[in-house]
Amino acid sequence: TERHRVSMLVRLAPDTEYPPHTHAGLEELHLLEGELWIDDRKLHPGDYNRAPPGTGDKRVWSETGCTCVLVTSTLDVLR
């Protein structure tokens, strides 16, 4: 909590979207299964995504559903 970091196992159901957001700190995502779109980039199992502080994602969604490990900041700003 002192560093405002959180690690999560995230599961998105098929045709689910995550709200647009700005990264308050470094975000790291490891896709374990399914497919995940981050803006115009499609991730597959085994892919890694790194987003520096101050960057943002306009659209994050999964057509198939997916499971990922997400390490991010508790101070991210949802739009």
Side-chain angles (χ1 to χ4, degrees), residues 15-70:
D15 298 317
T16 301
E17 290 194 32
Y18 188 78
H21 57 282
T22 301
H23 307 117
L26 175 65
E27 178 181 280
E28 296 180 280
L29 182 144
H30 300 268
L31 189 61
L32 302 176
E33 62 182 34
E35 296 175 343
L36 180 68
W37 286 88
I38 300 176
D39 295 326
D40 61 353
R41 182 173 173 226
K42 187 177 187 179
L43 302 178
H44 299 92
D47 285 348
Y48 168 79
N49 188 72
R50 182 182 187 278
T55 62
D57 300 320
K58 294 178 184 164
R59 187 169 185 217
V60 177
W61 80 102
S62 179
E63 296 171 325
T64 63
C66 68
T67 303
C68 62
V69 174
L70 179 64

